[in-house]
């Protein structure tokens, strides 16, 4: 190939790459319906009254701690149950609501809708919390005291705001005479923090035994409204978990030889294990950016970013390594691009002058959906590269596949629209849940599983999950209640509204109206996208005259003269 030909080929390749990059940059714009914002002045806005706040605080004061599988504060779970019963009298006495207590402590509410042809949906949350080391907290973890407009308590964001928020919304709706068209279920498990095998699994079995085959969608706890977490985006980003990482807990064990510390061996069991653990920490797994739900997330968010970042995020196929490096720098973003590794327990030795007879450590991996459990095991074995370290699987779960998040996916769009009604300046995007939830127990009912907590977070707040000073602002709790109110109201429809092109013009006006000059009788709705679509000759004539009047009526400075229908075409 001559030099000239080489130059031409290179220019052609670069031009083709540039075209692909630009096309992707400017065409990746997700569906965003125009939603009606929820305002505090709305007649159906649920205000955070003293009563509502007090019953939330009371729920937080009940320490429903789960310690390990099968080990949880049973009395406190019962106490929380009676608190719910007393706090929500309309829910608990409505003929539309049936409550079943499952496995002694979990709660399954069935809310009957009038239209049995609509597939029900399922809202889930959990009653239990993780333990708290009280001495490290600014305020006691089970007092639910308020400081600077924040309620501090274990469970404030994980996940009693979900339990109480859902029930507050339902209490309000039922007391206003709401009669749903679409049935729905509310499932509150009692041991989510220790994998939900007693609670959520039993709720799921109960639903199966009733013959329930399918739910339209499931909404559980999950990701949140994030401020300042995603590089390049200033506005809040509400991530809806469409997938969930798997987990793998490995036990590392080294058998040593006990003896007198005055005559040490060259290496002790603790020393051998410490080296293995150190190698594991020094060798993080590679980035999987682009092979899981994080790809969809970045492509959804790209259009919100400044041009340079937009080009990069829309073209991960080209710029993936740069983004990987950038995201690896902080724990929350690092968590979404790779399988992460945490050494969570380390035990060895019995006395200061005795050589340890053995040592044990536990490694907890959260697995990126593009990787298998076996791959991770093999990787660890190769990194440790020491046969004296025995590796066994303590517990595991494969990652959950991505739920649909397309323009016409009912559950996803209902959640996305409800979020945008409450957090009007937020943008929504699909994301990957980095922790685990109860959703795995419900996977046979639907592929439409979504994980979103109505929680507003700023950088640093992620440490409050299972950490110290867990808290929620009063305003955020009010938003949570109204978010669930909108979920229930919005999901009570047959179809997604707003499936029109209008969203592409939303930047020009808030005055967007949707009307077809079509006369319809009962049953005609099936003709849309169905068979035998038709219009009468008379109706077509009316349609023409309708547009004639729209044009002539709109041709005035202000609403003064409404045109008389005298000039027929
Ligand atoms: C671009 C940025 C993206 C990410 C930012 C994320 C910010 C933080 C947002 C949400 C926090 C998610 C973590 C909360 C997890 C809540 C659920 C939980 O704690 N689960 C536990 C217990 C658990 C439940 N089921 C299982 C199954 C197996 C093991 C443990 C569990 C957990 O995940 O450990």
């Amino acid at each position: 190939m001559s030099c000239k030909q080489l130059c031409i080929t290179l220019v052609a390749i670069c031009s083709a790459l540039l075209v692909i990059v630009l096309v992707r940059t400017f065409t990746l714009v997700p569906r965003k319906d125009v939603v009606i914002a929820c305002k505090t002045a709305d007649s159906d806005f649920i205000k955070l009254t003293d009563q509502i706040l007090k019953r939330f605080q009371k729920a937080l004061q009940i320490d429903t701690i789960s310690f390990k599988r099968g080990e949880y504060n049973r009395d406190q779970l019962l106490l929380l149950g009676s608190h719910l019963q007393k706090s929500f009298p309309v829910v608990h006495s409505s003929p539309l609501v049936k409550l079943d207590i499952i496995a002694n402590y979990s709660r399954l509410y069935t809310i009957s809708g009038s239209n049995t042809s609509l597939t029900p949906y399922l809202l889930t949350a959990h009653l239990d919390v993780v333990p708290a080391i009280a001495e490290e907290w600014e305020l006691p973890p089970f007092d639910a005291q308020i400081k600077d407009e924040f309620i501090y308590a274990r469970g404030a964001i994980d996940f009693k705001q979900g339990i109480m928020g859902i029930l507050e919304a339902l209490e309000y709706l039922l007391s206003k005479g709401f009669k749903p068209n679409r049935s729905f279920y509310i499932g509150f498990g009692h041991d989510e923090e220790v994998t939900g095998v007693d609670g959520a699994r039993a709720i799921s079995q109960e639903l199966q035994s009733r013959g329930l085959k399918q739910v339209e969608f499931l909404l559980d706890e999950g990701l949140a409204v994030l401020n300042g977490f995603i590089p390049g985006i200033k506005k809040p980003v509400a991530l809806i978990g469409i997938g969930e990482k798997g987990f793998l807990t490995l036990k590392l064990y080294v058998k040593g030889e006990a003896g007198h510390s005055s005559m040490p061996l060259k290496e002790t069991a603790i020393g051998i294990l410490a080296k293995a653990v150190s190698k594991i920490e020094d060798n993080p797994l590679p980035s999987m950016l682009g092979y899981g739900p994080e790809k969809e997330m970045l492509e959804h968010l790209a259009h919100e970013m400044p041009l340079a970042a937009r080009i990069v995020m829309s073209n991960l196929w080209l710029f993936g390594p740069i983004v990987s490096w950038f995201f690896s720098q902080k724990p929350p973003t690092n968590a979404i691009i790779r399988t992460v590794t945490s050494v969570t327990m380390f035990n060895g030795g019995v006395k200061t002058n005795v050589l340890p007879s053995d040592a044990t450590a536990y490694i907890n991996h959260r697995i990126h959906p593009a990787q298998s459990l076996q791959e991770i095991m093999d990787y660890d074995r190769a990194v440790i590269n020491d046969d004296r370290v025995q590796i066994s699987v303590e517990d595991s779960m494969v990652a959950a596949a991505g739920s649909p998040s397309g323009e016409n996916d009912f559950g996803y769009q209902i959640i996305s629209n409800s979020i945008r009604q409450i957090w009007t300046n937020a943008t929504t995007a699909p994301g990957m849940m980095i922790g685990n939830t109860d959703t795995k127990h419900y996977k046979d009912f639907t592929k439409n599983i979504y994980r979103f907590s109505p929680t507003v977070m700023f950088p640093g707040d992620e440490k409050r999950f299972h950490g110290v000073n867990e808290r929620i602002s009063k305003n955020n709790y009010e938003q949570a209640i109204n978010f669930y109110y909108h979920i229930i109201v919005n999901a009570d429809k047959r179809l997604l509204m707003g499936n029109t092109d209008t969203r592409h013009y939303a930047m020009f006006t808030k005055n967007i109206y949707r009307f077809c000059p079509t006369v319809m009788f009962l049953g005609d709705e099936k003709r849309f996208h169905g068979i035998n679509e038709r219009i009468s000759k008379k109706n077509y004539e009316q349609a023409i005259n309708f547009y004639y009047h729209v044009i002539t009526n709109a041709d005035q400075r202000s609403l003064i003269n409404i045109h008389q229908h005298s000039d027929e075409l």
Side-chain angles (χ1 to χ4, degrees):
M1 194 186 278
S2 72
C3 190
K4 190 178 166 195
Q5 280 172 322
L6 188 66
C7 285
I8 292 172
T9 315
L10 277 177
V11 169
I13 292 174
C14 289
S15 310
L17 285 180
L18 190 66
V19 169
I20 298 173
V21 165
L22 291 178
V23 166
R24 287 187 61 82
T25 301
F26 294 105
T27 52
L28 286 178
V29 180
R31 169 192 177 128
K32 288 278 148 76
D33 290 338
V34 178
V35 295
I36 300 163
C38 165
K39 294 190 279 311
T40 48
D42 290 346
S43 60
D44 63 347
F45 183 82
I46 308 174
K47 288 198 178 59
L48 183 70
T49 59
D50 276 355
Q51 249 188 342
I52 290 183
L53 182 61
K54 287 227 159 59
R55 49 190 182 233
F56 181 46
Q57 286 174 292
K58 177 82 201 287
L60 291 166
Q61 285 158 1
I62 304 173
D63 58 335
T64 49
I65 302 173
S66 286
F67 297 96
K68 53 181 165 167
R69 283 190 194 185
E71 217 179 277
Y72 27 78
N73 279 349
R74 291 176 156 72
D75 292 348
Q76 302 299 304
L77 285 165
L78 293 178
L79 207 59
L80 180 56
S82 35
H83 175 56
L84 299 183
Q85 206 89 20
K86 268 187 244 139
S87 299
F88 303 106
V90 182
V91 169
H92 290 93
S93 63
S94 166
L96 297 174
V97 181
K98 175 173 174 286
L99 167 66
D100 291 283
I101 302 295
I102 310 290
N104 301 321
Y105 313 103
S106 288
R107 304 171 82 83
L108 172 62
Y109 294 86
T110 305
I111 299 93
S112 301
S114 55
N115 188 341
T116 50
S117 71
L118 299 178
T119 312
Y121 64 98
L122 172 60
L123 303 177
T124 51
H126 60 91
L127 300 158
D128 61 327
V129 297
V130 292
I133 304 166
E135 307 77 62
E136 294 180 10
W137 284 55
E138 261 179 62
L139 293 167
F142 293 102
D143 275 9
Q145 288 181 35
I146 297 173
K147 184 182 165 200
D148 301 333
E149 295 294 296
F150 281 92
I151 308 150
Y152 282 71
R154 176 59 86 225
I157 52 173
D158 182 14
F159 186 63
K160 284 187 177 155
Q161 90 280 29
I163 296 279
M164 298 300 283
I166 292 172
L167 289 179
E168 287 292 353
L170 185 59
E171 180 83 359
Y172 179 89
L173 276 159
L174 292 172
S175 64
K176 297 279 174 215
F178 173 70
K179 292 192 174 64
N181 294 305
R182 190 189 288 275
S183 297
F184 60 103
Y185 298 98
I186 299 172
F188 294 157
H190 69 267
D191 64 339
E192 185 275 345
E193 296 294 1
V194 289
T195 75
V197 283
D198 291 346
R201 188 159 71 181
I203 295 177
S204 167
Q205 284 164 351
E206 164 67 19
L207 290 171
Q208 257 156 17
S209 73
R210 288 190 199 173
L212 182 75
K213 293 270 175 296
Q214 211 192 348
V215 294
E216 184 60 49
F217 69 93
L218 159 60
L219 170 63
D220 195 9
E221 67 173 333
L223 295 165
V225 183
L226 304 172
N227 292 272
F229 279 78
I230 299 174
I233 303 190
K234 288 210 174 70
K235 58 158 73 170
V237 175
L239 292 182
I240 302 167
I242 57 165
E244 181 172 316
K245 283 179 119 177
F247 76 90
L248 173 65
T249 302
L250 295 175
K251 179 178 174 183
L252 307 187
Y253 178 77
V254 178
K255 180 81 194 106
E257 223 180 298
H260 200 285
S261 61
S262 61
M263 296 166 284
L265 304 166
K266 206 161 166 253
E267 284 176 296
T268 62
I270 292 177
I272 295 166
L273 189 60
K275 280 178 204 142
V277 161
S278 170
K279 285 188 211 164
I280 288 283
E281 285 200 334
D282 287 346
N283 290 280
L285 282 123
S287 165
M288 287 287 123
L289 178 71
Y291 297 97
E294 74 287 344
K295 179 168 187 269
E296 264 178 277
M297 177 186 97
L298 294 174
E299 287 178 354
H300 257 73
L301 294 175
H303 74 287
E304 301 284 0
M305 298 180 178
L307 186 63
R310 181 175 180 179
I311 293 173
V312 169
M313 297 302 182
S314 306
N315 293 282
L316 293 176
W317 60 278
L318 189 59
F319 302 113
I322 302 171
V323 180
S324 281
W325 179 85
F326 210 67
F327 274 46
S328 301
Q329 306 309 308
K330 288 196 176 146
T333 40
N334 185 46
I336 65 160
I337 59 167
R338 57 163 48 83
T339 295
V340 290
T341 304
S342 303
V343 181
T344 47
M345 290 167 81
F346 195 109
N347 293 306
V350 286
K351 198 167 180 301
T352 53
N353 62 353
V354 176
L355 299 178
S357 61
D358 60 8
T360 312
Y362 289 90
I363 297 180
N364 183 248
H365 287 292
R366 299 299 170 126
I367 300 174
H368 187 279
Q371 287 180 313
S372 69
L373 302 177
Q374 191 60 49
E375 253 177 282
I376 307 303
M377 283 265 288
D378 294 346
Y379 182 88
D380 284 354
R381 223 181 277 282
V383 165
I384 292 173
N385 193 22
D386 186 340
D387 290 340
R388 293 170 300 174
V389 181
Q390 297 168 35
I391 305 175
S392 57
V393 176
E394 189 70 8
D395 207 353
S396 69
M397 187 188 86
V398 291
S403 305
S405 57
E407 300 212 332
N408 296 312
D409 291 308
F410 185 83
Y412 182 85
Q413 295 298 340
I414 290 294
I415 297 166
S416 170
N417 288 346
S418 304
I419 291 171
R420 290 191 307 113
Q421 285 182 276
I422 305 296
W423 292 279
T424 46
N425 59 343
T427 189
T428 55
M432 176 164 59
M433 179 60 177
I434 55 177
N436 291 109
T437 66
D438 266 348
T439 55
K440 60 188 167 294
H441 299 297
Y442 301 104
K443 66 180 185 319
D444 291 342
F445 293 112
T446 181
K447 61 180 188 353
N448 306 323
I449 292 183
Y450 304 102
R451 304 154 188 90
F452 173 76
S453 300
T455 310
V456 176
M457 290 177 63
F458 289 87
D461 281 343
E462 72 280 2
K463 296 191 192 124
R464 299 179 196 273
F465 279 102
H466 294 197
V468 296
N469 298 326
E470 184 175 345
R471 65 180 194 181
I472 190 168
S473 72
K474 288 199 291 183
N475 180 45
N476 191 174
Y477 180 53
E478 187 178 65
Q479 290 169 324
I481 297 169
N482 284 282
F483 164 74
Y484 286 115
Y485 168 87
H486 283 285
I487 287 282
I488 297 172
V489 170
N490 292 338
D492 199 44
K493 301 196 181 100
R494 177 194 280 273
L495 292 169
L496 277 177
M497 300 303 274
N499 266 5
T500 66
D501 263 351
T502 53
R503 61 187 178 278
H504 302 300
Y505 305 104
M507 68 292 255
F508 298 122
T509 179
K510 65 180 190 347
N511 305 322
I512 292 181
Y513 307 101
R514 299 158 192 85
F515 173 76
C516 291
T518 311
V519 176
M520 288 177 62
F521 291 88
L522 202 61
D524 279 343
E525 71 280 4
K526 295 188 198 127
R527 299 180 195 275
F528 281 101
H529 293 199
I531 56 169
N532 299 327
E533 186 174 342
R534 66 178 194 184
I535 190 167
S536 70
K537 289 197 294 184
K538 169 116 183 63
N539 192 171
Y540 181 51
E541 187 179 62
Q542 289 168 326
I544 297 167
N545 281 283
F546 166 75
Y547 287 115
Y548 168 87
H549 285 289
V550 168
I551 295 167
T552 48
N553 288 337
D555 195 35
Q556 54 185 323
R557 186 182 290 271
S558 57
L559 277 180
I560 302 170
N561 303 313
I562 287 300
H563 183 89
Q564 297 297 306
H565 187 175
S566 50
D567 309 327
E568 287 298 338
L569 282 178

